[in-house]
Amino acid sequence: MGIKRHSLTNQSVHFRSGIRHELDSFIKEIDCSRAFVLSTPEQTDVARDLAEKLQNITVGVFTGAKMHTPVEVTAMALEHTKSVNADCLVSVGGGSTTGLSKAIALHTDLPQIIIPTTYAGSEATPILGQTEDGIKTTIKDDKVLPEIILYDPELVVTLPRNLSVTSGLNAMAHAVEGLYAKDRSDDSTQLAKDGLQYFVSSLPDVLVDPEDIKAREDTLRGAWACGTVLGTVGMALHHKLCHTLGGSFDLPHAETHAIILPHAIAYNALAVPDLLEPLGVMLNDRNTGKAIWEFAKSLGAPLSLSELGMKEDDIDLAVDIAVKNPYWNPREITREGIHKLLRNAWAGSAPE
Ligand code: NAD
C-alpha cells in the first residue's frame, strides 16, 4: 500500500471538507476495486449516495447496522459481503456502523475505510464491542483497526443538536480517562489535552451554527484525538460504569456517557486532582467534576439517568454489577462511593 500512516496508530487519517468525493482514489490506493458500503437504516441516503458516486466500484450496500453490534446483524452482512466477493469495506456513520465494519473485518480481514459522522471515536481503536443474547463483550484485535479514516465535516452538519452534545461528551470521556490512565505516556496525555481543547472550544460553536464547517472539522479532530487515546491506553471507572449501564439496563450509549462523566470525574478528582487539572484550566474551574457538569448543562445535555428511563430501583443492582469485578482505577472503588455517584447521576444532581 502506498498510503501514508499516522506514526501513533499506523492508520491513514485525513480531514477535509468534501473528502468523501475522493473515496474512489483511496480505494484504488489500497489496490481494491469491489467496495461494500455500510450504514444504519437512518443513513441509507448517505450510503446510497456514496455508492452511486462510486459507480462500478461498489458491489453492495448494507444499511442494517445497529447499536452494540448484534452478532445476528453481523452474520447477515457477512454473508452479503462474501456473496458479492467484496475486497474492501466502506463505513459511513457513527460508532454503530463502524462497529459492523470492524466485526466483518474480524472475520474476513478486509481493509476498512471509515467515514465517521459522529464523535464516538471507534474508527481510531482496535476495539470491538459485540452483543450476543443481550450480553455485550469487548475484544481488542489489530485486525479490526481500520486502515483509512476520512473525516468529512460536511457529513456531520446533519448530526442533531442533542447527539452533537452527547457524542462530544462521549469523546471527551475517552480523553479524561486518558489523563489518569495507568499506562499513559507523554504522547497519549498530549493527545488527550488536544482532544479536550477541541471540544471545549468548538462544541458551543457547533450549537450556535450546526453548519459551521470549521467548528465541525475541529470537533472531528477532537474525535480522532480522543478516540486514539481510547485505543492506546486503558480506561477506568467511567467506561466501566457506562458499559454496565448500557449492557444491563439498555441505556443509550452517548447519553449515558454524557450523564456519568461529571460524576466519574468528581469521584476520581479526589485521588488525582493534579492529573485532571488541565481540564479544569480549560473550563476555568479547578473543581473539574462540577466544571464539566456545568459545561454539559450549558450545552443542554441530559443530566439524569432517570430521564433515560432508568428506574430508581435499579440503582442497587447497578452498584452490585459495577463493584463485582475489580479493575484498576486511580481511586479505590467502594460500594458506598459508587452508590452515591449513581444516585446523584440518576437524580441529575450536581456531582459531589
Ligand atoms: P450511532 O452510530 O448508533 O448513531 C446514532 C444515530 O445517529 C444513528 O441512527 C445514526 O444513523 C445517526 N447518525 C449518525 N451520524 C449522523 C449524522 N451525521 N447525521 C444524522 N444522523 C446521524 O451512535 P454512536 O454514539 O456514534 O455509536 C455508538 C456505538 O459505538 C455503540 O455501540 C458503542 O459501543 C460503539 N463505540 C465503540 C467504540 C470502540 O472503540 N469500539 C468507541 C465508541 C463507541
Side-chain angles (χ1 to χ4, degrees), residues 40 42-43 67-68 94-96 102 117-118 120 122 125 127 136 155-156 158-159 163 230 253:
T40 59
E42 296 80 15
Q43 289 178 287
M67 199 172 279
H68 304 311
S96 299
K102 287 171 153 182
T117 65
T118 70
S122 175
T125 82
I127 303 164
K136 188 166 177 178
L155 287 179
V156 196
T158 52
L159 193 63
L163 200 48
L230 171 68
H253 179 82

PDB file of all heavy atoms in Angstrom, residues 40 42-43 67-68 94-96 102 117-118 120 122 125 127 136 155-156 158-159 163 230 253, ligand 1:
ATOM      1  N   THR A  40     -26.337   2.716   8.880  1.00  0.00           N
ATOM      2  CA  THR A  40     -27.553   2.361   9.639  1.00  0.00           C
ATOM      3  C   THR A  40     -28.758   2.601   8.708  1.00  0.00           C
ATOM      4  O   THR A  40     -28.623   3.279   7.681  1.00  0.00           O
ATOM      5  CB  THR A  40     -27.736   3.281  10.866  1.00  0.00           C
ATOM      6  OG1 THR A  40     -27.834   4.627  10.393  1.00  0.00           O
ATOM      7  CG2 THR A  40     -26.617   3.143  11.857  1.00  0.00           C
ATOM      8  N   GLU A  42     -31.060   4.667   9.217  1.00  0.00           N
ATOM      9  CA  GLU A  42     -31.316   6.118   9.194  1.00  0.00           C
ATOM     10  C   GLU A  42     -30.397   6.851   8.222  1.00  0.00           C
ATOM     11  O   GLU A  42     -30.696   7.971   7.812  1.00  0.00           O
ATOM     12  CB  GLU A  42     -31.129   6.725  10.595  1.00  0.00           C
ATOM     13  CG  GLU A  42     -32.110   6.235  11.655  1.00  0.00           C
ATOM     14  CD  GLU A  42     -31.751   4.869  12.238  1.00  0.00           C
ATOM     15  OE1 GLU A  42     -30.597   4.406  12.035  1.00  0.00           O
ATOM     16  OE2 GLU A  42     -32.625   4.250  12.863  1.00  0.00           O
ATOM     17  N   GLN A  43     -29.275   6.268   7.881  1.00  0.00           N
ATOM     18  CA  GLN A  43     -28.328   6.953   6.989  1.00  0.00           C
ATOM     19  C   GLN A  43     -28.248   6.280   5.614  1.00  0.00           C
ATOM     20  O   GLN A  43     -27.247   6.407   4.895  1.00  0.00           O
ATOM     21  CB  GLN A  43     -26.956   7.055   7.664  1.00  0.00           C
ATOM     22  CG  GLN A  43     -26.986   8.064   8.811  1.00  0.00           C
ATOM     23  CD  GLN A  43     -25.659   8.175   9.540  1.00  0.00           C
ATOM     24  OE1 GLN A  43     -25.277   7.289  10.289  1.00  0.00           O
ATOM     25  NE2 GLN A  43     -24.942   9.260   9.322  1.00  0.00           N
ATOM     26  N   MET A  67     -26.951  -0.413  16.894  1.00  0.00           N
ATOM     27  CA  MET A  67     -26.108  -0.113  18.044  1.00  0.00           C
ATOM     28  C   MET A  67     -25.696  -1.405  18.772  1.00  0.00           C
ATOM     29  O   MET A  67     -26.479  -2.345  18.848  1.00  0.00           O
ATOM     30  CB  MET A  67     -26.835   0.830  19.013  1.00  0.00           C
ATOM     31  CG  MET A  67     -25.866   1.511  19.956  1.00  0.00           C
ATOM     32  SD  MET A  67     -26.589   2.796  20.992  1.00  0.00           S
ATOM     33  CE  MET A  67     -26.644   4.179  19.892  1.00  0.00           C
ATOM     34  N   HIS A  68     -24.474  -1.417  19.286  1.00  0.00           N
ATOM     35  CA  HIS A  68     -23.899  -2.510  20.079  1.00  0.00           C
ATOM     36  C   HIS A  68     -23.593  -3.763  19.251  1.00  0.00           C
ATOM     37  O   HIS A  68     -23.396  -4.852  19.800  1.00  0.00           O
ATOM     38  CB  HIS A  68     -24.767  -2.847  21.298  1.00  0.00           C
ATOM     39  CG  HIS A  68     -25.009  -1.654  22.193  1.00  0.00           C
ATOM     40  ND1 HIS A  68     -23.988  -0.836  22.618  1.00  0.00           N
ATOM     41  CD2 HIS A  68     -26.142  -1.124  22.706  1.00  0.00           C
ATOM     42  CE1 HIS A  68     -24.488   0.148  23.364  1.00  0.00           C
ATOM     43  NE2 HIS A  68     -25.795   0.002  23.418  1.00  0.00           N
ATOM     44  N   GLY A  94     -21.873   6.531  12.448  1.00  0.00           N
ATOM     45  CA  GLY A  94     -21.300   6.650  13.779  1.00  0.00           C
ATOM     46  C   GLY A  94     -20.693   5.335  14.248  1.00  0.00           C
ATOM     47  O   GLY A  94     -20.389   4.443  13.436  1.00  0.00           O
ATOM     48  N   GLY A  95     -20.565   5.208  15.566  1.00  0.00           N
ATOM     49  CA  GLY A  95     -19.923   4.036  16.147  1.00  0.00           C
ATOM     50  C   GLY A  95     -20.633   2.730  15.812  1.00  0.00           C
ATOM     51  O   GLY A  95     -19.985   1.675  15.745  1.00  0.00           O
ATOM     52  N   SER A  96     -21.931   2.778  15.581  1.00  0.00           N
ATOM     53  CA  SER A  96     -22.662   1.539  15.279  1.00  0.00           C
ATOM     54  C   SER A  96     -22.256   0.977  13.917  1.00  0.00           C
ATOM     55  O   SER A  96     -22.049  -0.232  13.768  1.00  0.00           O
ATOM     56  CB  SER A  96     -24.169   1.796  15.304  1.00  0.00           C
ATOM     57  OG  SER A  96     -24.548   2.227  16.581  1.00  0.00           O
ATOM     58  N   LYS A 102     -16.012  -3.284  11.614  1.00  0.00           N
ATOM     59  CA  LYS A 102     -14.953  -3.984  12.359  1.00  0.00           C
ATOM     60  C   LYS A 102     -15.288  -5.466  12.535  1.00  0.00           C
ATOM     61  O   LYS A 102     -14.410  -6.327  12.444  1.00  0.00           O
ATOM     62  CB  LYS A 102     -14.776  -3.341  13.735  1.00  0.00           C
ATOM     63  CG  LYS A 102     -14.098  -1.978  13.716  1.00  0.00           C
ATOM     64  CD  LYS A 102     -14.191  -1.353  15.105  1.00  0.00           C
ATOM     65  CE  LYS A 102     -13.068  -0.391  15.403  1.00  0.00           C
ATOM     66  NZ  LYS A 102     -13.151   0.168  16.771  1.00  0.00           N
ATOM     67  N   THR A 117     -19.384   9.920  11.161  1.00  0.00           N
ATOM     68  CA  THR A 117     -20.342  11.036  11.156  1.00  0.00           C
ATOM     69  C   THR A 117     -20.806  11.393  12.569  1.00  0.00           C
ATOM     70  O   THR A 117     -21.744  12.162  12.748  1.00  0.00           O
ATOM     71  CB  THR A 117     -21.565  10.720  10.274  1.00  0.00           C
ATOM     72  OG1 THR A 117     -22.271   9.620  10.853  1.00  0.00           O
ATOM     73  CG2 THR A 117     -21.169  10.396   8.853  1.00  0.00           C
ATOM     74  N   THR A 118     -20.185  10.783  13.588  1.00  0.00           N
ATOM     75  CA  THR A 118     -20.390  11.212  14.979  1.00  0.00           C
ATOM     76  C   THR A 118     -18.996  11.384  15.583  1.00  0.00           C
ATOM     77  O   THR A 118     -17.985  11.239  14.886  1.00  0.00           O
ATOM     78  CB  THR A 118     -21.176  10.174  15.828  1.00  0.00           C
ATOM     79  OG1 THR A 118     -20.344   9.027  16.047  1.00  0.00           O
ATOM     80  CG2 THR A 118     -22.479   9.768  15.176  1.00  0.00           C
ATOM     81  N   ALA A 120     -17.920   9.490  18.265  1.00  0.00           N
ATOM     82  CA  ALA A 120     -17.695   8.348  19.160  1.00  0.00           C
ATOM     83  C   ALA A 120     -16.231   7.889  19.195  1.00  0.00           C
ATOM     84  O   ALA A 120     -15.739   7.445  20.224  1.00  0.00           O
ATOM     85  CB  ALA A 120     -18.606   7.187  18.770  1.00  0.00           C
ATOM     86  N   SER A 122     -14.716   5.357  17.540  1.00  0.00           N
ATOM     87  CA  SER A 122     -14.435   3.930  17.345  1.00  0.00           C
ATOM     88  C   SER A 122     -13.455   3.683  16.191  1.00  0.00           C
ATOM     89  O   SER A 122     -12.662   2.742  16.225  1.00  0.00           O
ATOM     90  CB  SER A 122     -15.753   3.185  17.084  1.00  0.00           C
ATOM     91  OG  SER A 122     -15.533   1.852  16.781  1.00  0.00           O
ATOM     92  N   THR A 125      -9.762   2.992  17.055  1.00  0.00           N
ATOM     93  CA  THR A 125      -9.384   1.970  18.041  1.00  0.00           C
ATOM     94  C   THR A 125      -9.393   0.552  17.466  1.00  0.00           C
ATOM     95  O   THR A 125     -10.150   0.267  16.535  1.00  0.00           O
ATOM     96  CB  THR A 125     -10.347   1.962  19.263  1.00  0.00           C
ATOM     97  OG1 THR A 125     -11.525   1.203  18.939  1.00  0.00           O
ATOM     98  CG2 THR A 125     -10.740   3.355  19.702  1.00  0.00           C
ATOM     99  N   ILE A 127     -10.643  -1.808  19.048  1.00  0.00           N
ATOM    100  CA  ILE A 127     -11.594  -2.417  19.999  1.00  0.00           C
ATOM    101  C   ILE A 127     -12.924  -2.680  19.295  1.00  0.00           C
ATOM    102  O   ILE A 127     -13.412  -1.843  18.535  1.00  0.00           O
ATOM    103  CB  ILE A 127     -11.835  -1.460  21.192  1.00  0.00           C
ATOM    104  CG1 ILE A 127     -10.518  -1.120  21.883  1.00  0.00           C
ATOM    105  CG2 ILE A 127     -12.820  -2.060  22.189  1.00  0.00           C
ATOM    106  CD1 ILE A 127     -10.585   0.091  22.812  1.00  0.00           C
ATOM    107  N   LYS A 136     -23.035  -7.960  26.174  1.00  0.00           N
ATOM    108  CA  LYS A 136     -22.033  -7.274  25.355  1.00  0.00           C
ATOM    109  C   LYS A 136     -20.628  -7.648  25.811  1.00  0.00           C
ATOM    110  O   LYS A 136     -20.299  -7.536  26.987  1.00  0.00           O
ATOM    111  CB  LYS A 136     -22.234  -5.757  25.439  1.00  0.00           C
ATOM    112  CG  LYS A 136     -21.364  -4.985  24.461  1.00  0.00           C
ATOM    113  CD  LYS A 136     -21.815  -3.548  24.306  1.00  0.00           C
ATOM    114  CE  LYS A 136     -20.885  -2.794  23.370  1.00  0.00           C
ATOM    115  NZ  LYS A 136     -21.289  -1.427  23.151  1.00  0.00           N
ATOM    116  N   LEU A 155     -20.419  16.005   6.358  1.00  0.00           N
ATOM    117  CA  LEU A 155     -21.354  14.926   6.711  1.00  0.00           C
ATOM    118  C   LEU A 155     -21.815  15.011   8.163  1.00  0.00           C
ATOM    119  O   LEU A 155     -22.701  14.275   8.579  1.00  0.00           O
ATOM    120  CB  LEU A 155     -20.693  13.554   6.473  1.00  0.00           C
ATOM    121  CG  LEU A 155     -20.534  13.151   5.014  1.00  0.00           C
ATOM    122  CD1 LEU A 155     -19.849  11.794   4.931  1.00  0.00           C
ATOM    123  CD2 LEU A 155     -21.886  13.100   4.311  1.00  0.00           C
ATOM    124  N   VAL A 156     -21.190  15.882   8.947  1.00  0.00           N
ATOM    125  CA  VAL A 156     -21.547  15.963  10.367  1.00  0.00           C
ATOM    126  C   VAL A 156     -22.532  17.102  10.638  1.00  0.00           C
ATOM    127  O   VAL A 156     -23.106  17.183  11.720  1.00  0.00           O
ATOM    128  CB  VAL A 156     -20.273  16.104  11.236  1.00  0.00           C
ATOM    129  CG1 VAL A 156     -20.570  15.790  12.692  1.00  0.00           C
ATOM    130  CG2 VAL A 156     -19.200  15.154  10.758  1.00  0.00           C
ATOM    131  N   THR A 158     -25.406  17.396   9.734  1.00  0.00           N
ATOM    132  CA  THR A 158     -26.761  16.877   9.962  1.00  0.00           C
ATOM    133  C   THR A 158     -26.912  16.211  11.331  1.00  0.00           C
ATOM    134  O   THR A 158     -28.019  15.812  11.708  1.00  0.00           O
ATOM    135  CB  THR A 158     -27.111  15.827   8.893  1.00  0.00           C
ATOM    136  OG1 THR A 158     -26.056  14.854   8.873  1.00  0.00           O
ATOM    137  CG2 THR A 158     -27.269  16.444   7.517  1.00  0.00           C
ATOM    138  N   LEU A 159     -25.800  16.079  12.057  1.00  0.00           N
ATOM    139  CA  LEU A 159     -25.876  15.434  13.375  1.00  0.00           C
ATOM    140  C   LEU A 159     -26.777  16.291  14.271  1.00  0.00           C
ATOM    141  O   LEU A 159     -26.484  17.463  14.497  1.00  0.00           O
ATOM    142  CB  LEU A 159     -24.469  15.314  13.972  1.00  0.00           C
ATOM    143  CG  LEU A 159     -24.309  14.406  15.199  1.00  0.00           C
ATOM    144  CD1 LEU A 159     -24.637  12.951  14.875  1.00  0.00           C
ATOM    145  CD2 LEU A 159     -22.881  14.503  15.744  1.00  0.00           C
ATOM    146  N   LEU A 163     -27.446  14.909  19.814  1.00  0.00           N
ATOM    147  CA  LEU A 163     -26.398  13.913  19.578  1.00  0.00           C
ATOM    148  C   LEU A 163     -25.029  14.578  19.418  1.00  0.00           C
ATOM    149  O   LEU A 163     -24.000  14.000  19.797  1.00  0.00           O
ATOM    150  CB  LEU A 163     -26.757  13.065  18.352  1.00  0.00           C
ATOM    151  CG  LEU A 163     -26.066  11.709  18.228  1.00  0.00           C
ATOM    152  CD1 LEU A 163     -26.128  10.908  19.513  1.00  0.00           C
ATOM    153  CD2 LEU A 163     -26.672  10.904  17.092  1.00  0.00           C
ATOM    154  N   LEU A 230      -8.433   6.473  23.523  1.00  0.00           N
ATOM    155  CA  LEU A 230      -9.196   5.274  23.915  1.00  0.00           C
ATOM    156  C   LEU A 230      -8.532   3.989  23.412  1.00  0.00           C
ATOM    157  O   LEU A 230      -8.496   2.976  24.113  1.00  0.00           O
ATOM    158  CB  LEU A 230     -10.623   5.383  23.349  1.00  0.00           C
ATOM    159  CG  LEU A 230     -11.530   4.158  23.458  1.00  0.00           C
ATOM    160  CD1 LEU A 230     -11.906   3.876  24.907  1.00  0.00           C
ATOM    161  CD2 LEU A 230     -12.809   4.339  22.629  1.00  0.00           C
ATOM    162  N   HIS A 253     -26.005   4.792  24.367  1.00  0.00           N
ATOM    163  CA  HIS A 253     -24.557   4.914  24.561  1.00  0.00           C
ATOM    164  C   HIS A 253     -24.079   6.351  24.879  1.00  0.00           C
ATOM    165  O   HIS A 253     -23.546   6.609  25.959  1.00  0.00           O
ATOM    166  CB  HIS A 253     -23.864   4.392  23.299  1.00  0.00           C
ATOM    167  CG  HIS A 253     -22.383   4.481  23.330  1.00  0.00           C
ATOM    168  ND1 HIS A 253     -21.594   3.547  23.961  1.00  0.00           N
ATOM    169  CD2 HIS A 253     -21.540   5.421  22.839  1.00  0.00           C
ATOM    170  CE1 HIS A 253     -20.335   3.903  23.845  1.00  0.00           C
ATOM    171  NE2 HIS A 253     -20.272   5.024  23.167  1.00  0.00           N
TER     172      HIS A 253
HETATM  173  P1  NAD B   1     -24.685   5.581  16.354  1.00  0.00           P
HETATM  174  O1  NAD B   1     -23.643   5.207  15.386  1.00  0.00           O
HETATM  175  O2  NAD B   1     -25.590   4.485  16.848  1.00  0.00           O
HETATM  176  O3  NAD B   1     -25.578   6.743  15.747  1.00  0.00           O
HETATM  177  C1  NAD B   1     -26.751   7.152  16.424  1.00  0.00           C
HETATM  178  C2  NAD B   1     -27.827   7.543  15.402  1.00  0.00           C
HETATM  179  O4  NAD B   1     -27.442   8.755  14.773  1.00  0.00           O
HETATM  180  C3  NAD B   1     -27.995   6.529  14.287  1.00  0.00           C
HETATM  181  O5  NAD B   1     -29.345   6.458  13.938  1.00  0.00           O
HETATM  182  C4  NAD B   1     -27.189   7.124  13.151  1.00  0.00           C
HETATM  183  O6  NAD B   1     -27.609   6.710  11.904  1.00  0.00           O
HETATM  184  C5  NAD B   1     -27.443   8.600  13.367  1.00  0.00           C
HETATM  185  N1  NAD B   1     -26.387   9.463  12.839  1.00  0.00           N
HETATM  186  C6  NAD B   1     -25.057   9.293  12.948  1.00  0.00           C
HETATM  187  N2  NAD B   1     -24.413  10.307  12.369  1.00  0.00           N
HETATM  188  C7  NAD B   1     -25.336  11.151  11.899  1.00  0.00           C
HETATM  189  C8  NAD B   1     -25.276  12.388  11.205  1.00  0.00           C
HETATM  190  N3  NAD B   1     -24.119  12.994  10.928  1.00  0.00           N
HETATM  191  N4  NAD B   1     -26.443  12.975  10.845  1.00  0.00           N
HETATM  192  C9  NAD B   1     -27.640  12.413  11.168  1.00  0.00           C
HETATM  193  N5  NAD B   1     -27.745  11.247  11.833  1.00  0.00           N
HETATM  194  C10 NAD B   1     -26.604  10.621  12.187  1.00  0.00           C
HETATM  195  O7  NAD B   1     -24.087   6.300  17.657  1.00  0.00           O
HETATM  196  P2  NAD B   1     -22.604   6.469  18.223  1.00  0.00           P
HETATM  197  O8  NAD B   1     -22.765   7.067  19.566  1.00  0.00           O
HETATM  198  O9  NAD B   1     -21.714   7.113  17.242  1.00  0.00           O
HETATM  199  O10 NAD B   1     -22.072   4.969  18.361  1.00  0.00           O
HETATM  200  C11 NAD B   1     -22.465   4.146  19.437  1.00  0.00           C
HETATM  201  C12 NAD B   1     -21.881   2.755  19.237  1.00  0.00           C
HETATM  202  O11 NAD B   1     -20.490   2.841  19.014  1.00  0.00           O
HETATM  203  C13 NAD B   1     -22.076   1.861  20.473  1.00  0.00           C
HETATM  204  O12 NAD B   1     -22.414   0.570  20.051  1.00  0.00           O
HETATM  205  C14 NAD B   1     -20.712   1.892  21.130  1.00  0.00           C
HETATM  206  O13 NAD B   1     -20.459   0.754  21.908  1.00  0.00           O
HETATM  207  C15 NAD B   1     -19.797   1.970  19.918  1.00  0.00           C
HETATM  208  N6  NAD B   1     -18.463   2.547  20.200  1.00  0.00           N
HETATM  209  C16 NAD B   1     -17.391   1.737  20.060  1.00  0.00           C
HETATM  210  C17 NAD B   1     -16.121   2.213  20.303  1.00  0.00           C
HETATM  211  C18 NAD B   1     -14.935   1.317  20.099  1.00  0.00           C
HETATM  212  O14 NAD B   1     -13.800   1.766  20.192  1.00  0.00           O
HETATM  213  N7  NAD B   1     -15.145   0.054  19.828  1.00  0.00           N
HETATM  214  C19 NAD B   1     -15.928   3.555  20.698  1.00  0.00           C
HETATM  215  C20 NAD B   1     -17.050   4.369  20.843  1.00  0.00           C
HETATM  216  C21 NAD B   1     -18.330   3.856  20.584  1.00  0.00           C
END
